[in-house]
Amino acid sequence: MATAVYPGSFDPVTLGHQDIIERSSKIMEKVIVGVLRNNSKSPLFSVKERVNMLLDVTSHLPNVEVRAFDGLLVDFVRQCRGDVIIRGLRAITDFEYELQLSQTNRVIAPEVDTIFLTTNLKYSYLSSSIVKEIAMYHGDISAFLHPDIAHKVREKMEA
Ligand code: ADP
């Protein structure tokens, strides 16, 4: 049984992310969701807001923690005493990037491996950016997000 780190931007957390978190929490002793702070993309939600949203949707999972981090992912994994990194794979396009990322991480931190969970078919098309784009044009986002998160996105777009 291992401690896993699931890193990402989570801007905002989608049902696809939640599915990966729930499935990893069943196979890992502990899952630490790492919210990336210094993102090159300009995020819709602050790190604090993203962490709080993740805390809300994972409150029923006792072995899941949520933390913000910046800097190198492998340094964060070491700080957390993590054994593995969890990433979700949706499509071929994810595969190339994820392969590069995991191989680079293994060179700089050989003791940390990456485990990939394939997306739930229901959410294979889903990404935070698509959700934000739909919300920007006042489309219905209720099929992609937890109701509380969907409410926060709508509020943010109207602000
Ligand atoms: P990043 O900016 O690091 O890609 P994201 O928040 O977009 O951060 O995604 C975090 C992780 O969740 C990545 O491994 C990504 O592939 C995975 N992921 C995102 N959306 C889905 C989904 N719908 N199904 C499965 N995995 C997903």
Side-chain angles (χ1 to χ4, degrees), residues 2-6 28 77 82-86 111-115:
T3 295
V5 173
Y6 176 44
M28 296 291 166
V77 175
D83 304 288
V84 290
I85 297 167
I86 299 265
E111 79 283 10
V112 180
D113 225 321
T114 305
I115 292 181

Side-chain angles (χ1 to χ4, degrees), residues 29-45:
E29 190 178 354
K30 188 158 135 188
V31 177
I32 299 171
V33 182
V35 181
L36 186 60
R37 199 189 296 273
N38 62 348
N39 206 334
S40 50
K41 314 164 196 168
S42 58
L44 178 66
F45 291 97

Side-chain angles (χ1 to χ4, degrees), residues 104-117:
T104 312
N105 282 337
R106 203 153 55 186
V107 172
I108 52 179
E111 79 283 10
V112 180
D113 225 321
T114 305
I115 292 181
F116 294 102
L117 293 185

Side-chain angles (χ1 to χ4, degrees), residues 15-16 19-20 23 89-90 117-126:
L15 294 179
D19 178 65
I20 298 285
R23 283 158 59 203
L89 271 187
R90 280 162 298 191
L117 293 185
T118 52
T119 179
N120 185 321
L121 218 51
K122 274 198 297 197
Y123 307 127
S124 57
Y125 58 88
L126 185 54

Side-chain angles (χ1 to χ4, degrees), residues 38-95:
N38 62 348
N39 206 334
S40 50
K41 314 164 196 168
S42 58
L44 178 66
F45 291 97
S46 70
V47 174
K48 203 168 164 204
E49 289 172 319
R50 285 182 268 152
V51 166
N52 285 337
M53 288 190 282
L54 275 156
L55 285 172
D56 284 348
V57 299
T58 59
S59 59
H60 61 297
L61 302 169
N63 62 339
V64 173
E65 271 178 38
V66 183
R67 293 190 207 166
F69 77 101
D70 46 28
L72 281 182
L73 171 60
V74 290
D75 289 338
F76 175 63
V77 175
R78 284 172 172 154
Q79 269 169 35
C80 297
R81 297 183 183 280
D83 304 288
V84 290
I85 297 167
I86 299 265
R87 295 287 285 175
L89 271 187
R90 280 162 298 191
I92 313 245
T93 40
D94 274 348
F95 181 78

Side-chain angles (χ1 to χ4, degrees), residues 13 141-155:
V13 56
I141 51 171
S142 56
F144 316 126
L145 307 176
H146 183 284
D148 295 349
I149 310 294
H151 180 70
K152 290 201 165 78
V153 172
R154 284 188 212 105
E155 260 181 1

